[in-house]
């Protein structure tokens, strides 16, 4: 199908779009155009509430009425736009960002936008998810916010012909003028051109390719979800292991760090005192027992007192090492 948009402003100051769909077929001129309000939810006698299709204009209600009217597409669009300008629809919500951006400052909708948005947000929140695809303007604004976009795909378009003598060369001036005055016949001629047919085939093939890729993506959705969950699980395990490693690393650093001399001296002093008290207690016990075996006592006492002197000597060495030389 071929789509045309006509932008106009109503007497209430609102900017609206009439979208015209013209089906392509061999008997092109016999098909009735379909008109609708695009990017908006509104209430009007001519507009069907759900689809926003214009149904109140008599010539486009059926193919028979369209044929009998004898109107060109431009005349029909002019009549519809004129009626909607003079008898504006009641706007309920503007769903297209591009249409909302071109609303004038004196628009009734823009003036009430802050108050109206608070009442329509909850109603339209779920409805927007199933709305029509975004407009070109809205997509363009989104693309501008993306820092890096992939390059567009290369499409091998056919060369544009330099002339159309094969089709128009045998037509008279009157026939050419009649062709230019009848928009539907002119579009029918354009759509039967070989280059248009070829471009249409390319567009259809790209659409089918996109549809196929979309189905492939959907078929891999469960696999991608499971992989995402697995990655999250492994990330959690990795975080736990990193935390454990960091704790053990701190313990290793504390164990492998150079010892504190003051702390060692304090421990040696305490251990030396313990060894001295132990040797003295051993001597007192031997005297209290009546000194039965002198040789055995001397051997054991010397070993105990030797431990005391070793610790005291180490303590003295550290103290001398700690004292700065003059």
């Amino acid at each position: 199908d071929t789509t045309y948009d006509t932008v106009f402003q109503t007497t209430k100051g609102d900017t609206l779009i009439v979208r015209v769909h013209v089906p392509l077929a061999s008997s092109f001129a016999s098909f009735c155009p379909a008109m609708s309000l695009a990017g908006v939810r509104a209430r009007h006698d001519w507009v069907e509430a759900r689809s926003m299709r214009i149904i109140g204009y008599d010539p486009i209600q059926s193919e028979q009425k369209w044929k009998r009217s004898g109107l060109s597409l431009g005349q029909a669009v002019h009549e519809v736009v004129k009626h909607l300008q003079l008898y504006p629809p009641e706007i309920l919500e503007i769903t297209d960002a591009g249409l909302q951006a071109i609303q004038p400052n004196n628009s009734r909708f823009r003036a009430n936008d802050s108050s109206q948005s608070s009442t329509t947000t909850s109603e339209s929140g779920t409805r927007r998810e199933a709305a029509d695809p975004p407009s070109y303007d809205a997509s363009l604004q989104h693309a501008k916010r993306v820092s890096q976009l992939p390059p567009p795909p290369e499409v091998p378009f056919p060369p544009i012909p330099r002339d159309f003598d094969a089709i128009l060369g045998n037509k008279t001036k009157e026939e050419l003028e009649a062709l230019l005055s009848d928009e539907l016949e002119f579009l029918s001629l354009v759509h039967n051109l070989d280059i248009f047919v070829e471009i249409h085939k390319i567009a259809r093939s790209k659409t089918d390719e996109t549809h196929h890729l979309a189905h492939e993506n959907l078929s891999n959705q469960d696999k991608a979800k499971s992989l995402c969950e697995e990655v999250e699980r492994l990330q959690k395990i990795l975080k736990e292991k990193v935390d454990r490693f960091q704790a053990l690393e701190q313990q290793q650093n504390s164990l492998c760090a150079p010892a504190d001399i003051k702390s060692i001296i304090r421990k040696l002093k305490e251990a030396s005192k313990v060894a001295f008290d132990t040797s003295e207690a051993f001597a007192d016990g031997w005297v209290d027992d009546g000194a039965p075996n002198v040789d055995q006592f001397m051997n054991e006492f010397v070993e105990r007192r030797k431990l005391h002197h070793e610790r005291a000597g180490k303590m003295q060495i550290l103290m001398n090492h700690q004292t700065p030389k003059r």
Side-chain angles (χ1 to χ4, degrees):
D1 292 356
T2 302
T3 303
Y4 303 94
D5 286 347
T6 301
V7 182
F8 65 96
Q9 193 172 34
T10 68
T11 55
K12 290 185 178 180
D14 300 321
T15 300
L16 299 176
I17 299 176
V18 168
R19 182 161 291 170
V20 183
H21 296 275
V22 181
L24 299 179
S26 57
S27 56
F28 180 79
S30 65
F31 278 84
C32 176
M35 302 185 190
S36 61
L37 287 178
V40 69
R41 290 180 56 251
R43 186 182 293 114
H44 193 271
D45 294 339
W46 278 22
V47 181
E48 198 274 326
R50 186 173 182 179
S51 64
M52 290 293 103
R53 181 167 180 173
I54 297 174
I55 58 176
Y57 184 55
D58 187 69
I60 61 173
Q61 290 182 353
S62 65
E63 293 183 8
Q64 292 77 14
K65 290 184 178 181
W66 175 250
K67 292 178 183 179
R68 289 196 301 267
S69 69
L71 296 172
S72 66
L73 180 61
Q75 291 172 332
V77 173
H78 175 74
E79 291 294 330
V80 172
V81 169
K82 181 179 178 181
H83 181 80
L84 295 178
Q85 283 179 321
L86 297 177
Y87 306 98
E90 179 186 354
I91 297 180
L92 303 178
E93 179 188 5
I94 293 182
T95 59
D96 185 86
L99 178 60
Q100 189 171 15
I102 63 176
Q103 295 296 317
N105 293 331
N106 60 348
S107 170
R108 174 179 58 86
F109 183 81
R110 174 167 289 190
N112 296 333
D113 182 56
S114 58
S115 60
Q116 192 173 13
S117 61
S118 61
T119 58
T120 58
T121 300
S122 59
E123 299 177 2
S124 62
T126 56
R127 194 163 44 240
R128 287 180 181 176
E129 296 179 358
D132 293 337
S135 68
Y136 172 78
D137 292 334
S139 300
L140 181 61
Q141 293 298 327
H142 173 73
K144 290 180 179 179
R145 294 193 295 267
V146 180
S147 58
Q148 295 181 351
L149 292 177
E154 295 184 1
V155 179
F157 282 106
I160 304 298
R162 295 180 176 273
D163 57 66
F164 300 92
D165 293 339
I167 300 176
L168 303 177
N170 58 350
K171 292 186 180 294
T172 65
K173 178 181 178 182
E174 290 76 14
E175 290 176 337
L176 292 175
E177 291 178 349
L179 182 63
L180 291 175
S181 61
D182 192 334
E183 188 174 0
L184 291 181
E185 289 297 336
F186 179 77
L187 291 176
S188 177
L189 175 66
V190 171
H191 293 162
N192 286 321
L193 293 175
D194 293 339
I195 184 173
F196 183 88
V197 174
E198 188 173 354
I199 291 176
H200 187 72
K201 289 181 179 179
I202 294 174
R204 176 60 63 183
S205 66
K206 293 301 177 182
T207 301
D208 295 340
E209 181 182 352
T210 302
H211 186 266
H212 176 70
L213 292 175
H215 275 283
E216 284 189 351
N217 291 337
L218 289 176
S219 63
N220 294 326
Q221 184 177 7
D222 294 337
K223 182 179 179 180
K225 185 178 179 180
S226 62
L227 288 176
C228 180
E229 293 175 351
E230 179 67 13
V231 169
E232 291 177 351
R233 185 184 69 84
L234 293 176
Q235 283 181 336
K236 184 178 179 180
I237 295 176
L238 176 62
K239 185 178 182 303
E240 294 175 353
K241 290 185 178 296
V242 169
D243 294 340
R244 177 60 179 166
F245 169 78
Q246 291 176 348
L248 294 175
E249 188 179 29
Q250 290 180 355
Q251 294 181 8
Q252 181 187 26
N253 293 337
S254 63
L255 293 174
C256 297
D260 184 14
I261 296 180
K262 292 183 178 180
S263 176
I264 296 176
I265 292 175
R266 183 178 64 254
K267 291 180 179 179
L268 284 174
K269 184 176 181 181
E270 294 175 356
S272 176
K273 184 176 184 303
V274 169
F276 177 81
D277 293 341
T278 301
S279 62
E280 288 296 318
F282 177 74
D284 293 340
W286 179 75
V287 172
D288 293 340
D289 291 340
N293 192 333
V294 176
D295 294 336
Q296 183 179 0
F297 164 73
M298 290 299 298
N299 291 332
E300 293 184 9
F301 178 79
V302 168
E303 289 297 328
R304 295 174 187 270
R305 187 57 63 93
K306 179 181 178 182
L307 180 61
H308 159 68
H309 288 294
E310 286 179 353
R311 293 173 177 176
K314 292 178 179 179
M315 181 178 65
Q316 189 63 39
I317 293 173
L318 290 176
M319 291 177 65
N320 293 337
H321 178 76
Q322 190 179 21
T323 303
K325 296 181 179 180
R326 295 182 179 180

